[in-house]
């Protein structure tokens, strides 16, 4: 069946962000700059944490992994989007399309679980400070990151398995700038309404479960600290604000795409751009601008 699929439809055609060639040329520079900033910002955070022994703690170990995942997630779609601004015929091979789907859900699913892990780290640090070093030891941190990657991989494989053998035999125009599953399955030569619901539920359940766990964790942190000291609440809020901001920016588009599909083209494209291009850029900026230790590490690196 797989060979038949590839012989029937060997490539897909992207419509891109817009139809205007003039607007596409104008978008080339800003999107190129955004991607460059994403790469530099995220890799800089990773290098700072690796090179500066003062940042060799569980929180920064998890942050380095988050920055690396953001770099990978952005690199799956943004370079292709940018180069397609220069092309009239925006094509991608069948294998390339399936690879995009696999990688987007692999890195996206992994990041969801990683953010939950970071919330757990903050819970232990703020609510159980005396036991922090024993609970969040190096071995446990490594296992938590491995679990994040594993869940992301299993989620991506489950998504890919549901669409890989679909009979793609006719239309091949994807009204987006990358192979997003809800749009790709519409091109299959069969009724995919039930399958689409199952696929959306798969991603939606993962996103919603992680989001609820995150909100419960941060709410519990703030309530617990407030019961002990008034000043502690403000300190906890300051510590967790950057984490909460990243959570909202990352999960907001995911929940809209998979749990509340509007089927409005420009909304879908805006959310897709925000999820794959903007959020990976904002994450390192949010953490570095609000984190004095990261700022000090940058100063030491420059000096």
């Amino acid at each position: 069946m797989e060979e038949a699929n590839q012989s029937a439809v060997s490539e897909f055609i992207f419509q891109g962000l817009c139809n205007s060639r003039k607007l596409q040329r104008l978008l080339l520079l800003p999107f190129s700059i955004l991607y460059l900033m994403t790469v530099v910002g995220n890799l800089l955070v990773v290098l700072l944490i690796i090179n500066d022994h003062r940042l060799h703690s569980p929180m920064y170990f998890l942050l380095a992994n988050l920055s690396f995942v953001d770099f990978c997630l952005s690199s799956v779609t943004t370079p292709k989007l940018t180069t397609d601004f220069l092309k009239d015929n925006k094509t991608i091979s069948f294998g390339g399309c399936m690879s995009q789907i696999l990688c987007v859900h692999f890195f996206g699913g992994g990041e969801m679980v990683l953010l939950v892990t970071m919330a757990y780290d903050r819970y232990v640090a703020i609510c159980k400070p005396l036991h922090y070093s024993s609970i969040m030891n190096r071995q446990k941190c490594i296992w938590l990151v491995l679990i994040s990657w594993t869940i992301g991989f299993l989620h991506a494989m489950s998504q890919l398995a549901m669409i890989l053998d679909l009979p793609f035999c006719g239309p091949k125009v994807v009204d987006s700038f990358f192979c997003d599953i809800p749009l790709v399955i519409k091109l299959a030569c069969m009724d995919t309404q039930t399958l689409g619901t199952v696929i959306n539920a798969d991603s939606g359940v993962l996103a919603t479960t992680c989001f609820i766990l995150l909100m419960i964790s941060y709410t519990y942190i703030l309530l617990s600290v407030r019961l002990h000291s008034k000043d502690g609440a403000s300190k906890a809020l300051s510590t967790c604000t950057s984490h909460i901001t990243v959570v909202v920016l990352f999960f907001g588009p995911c929940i809209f795409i998979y749990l509340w599909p509007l089927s409005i083209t420009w909304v879908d494209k805006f959310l897709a751009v925000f999820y794959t291009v903007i959020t990976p850029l904002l994450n390192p900026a949010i953490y570095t601008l609000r984190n004095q230790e990261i700022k000090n590490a940058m100063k030491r690196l420059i000096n």
Side-chain angles (χ1 to χ4, degrees), residues 69 102 105-107 109-111 113-114 117 142-158 206:
V69 172
L102 178 68
H105 286 269
F106 174 42
F107 295 122
E111 180 159 347
V113 183
L114 186 59
T117 300
I142 293 174
W143 272 109
L144 288 172
V145 170
L146 288 176
I147 289 172
S148 300
W149 285 99
T150 301
I151 292 177
F153 178 74
L154 293 176
H155 166 66
M157 291 301 295
S158 69
L206 176 62

Side-chain angles (χ1 to χ4, degrees), residues 276-289:
T276 60
V277 180
I278 306 300
T279 301
L281 170 63
L282 291 178
N283 285 358
I286 291 170
Y287 281 113
T288 54
L289 290 175

Side-chain angles (χ1 to χ4, degrees), residues 23 31 89 100 114 165 174 180 234 258 261 270 273 290 301:
L23 182 57
F31 272 87
N89 193 24
Q100 270 197 342
L114 186 59
D165 287 333
V174 180
D180 197 9
S234 60
Y258 292 104
F270 171 78
V273 168
R290 295 188 58 85
L301 181 65

Side-chain angles (χ1 to χ4, degrees), residues 182-198:
L183 298 177
V184 172
I185 63 173
K186 290 180 180 179
L187 305 180
C189 302
M190 60 175 286
D191 182 9
T192 58
Q193 184 174 358
T194 302
L195 179 62
T197 302
V198 173

Side-chain angles (χ1 to χ4, degrees), residues 162-183:
M162 286 188 279
I163 67 167
L164 191 59
D165 287 333
L166 288 177
F168 296 102
C169 56
K172 56 182 181 179
V173 178
V174 180
D175 192 8
S176 184
F177 60 90
F178 76 104
C179 285
D180 197 9
I181 287 185
L183 298 177

Side-chain angles (χ1 to χ4, degrees), residues 28 32 78-87 90:
L28 174 62
S32 298
T78 310
K80 172 68 175 170
L81 167 64
T82 305
T83 56
D84 279 348
F85 283 137
L86 300 173
K87 300 177 182 178
K90 304 173 179 61

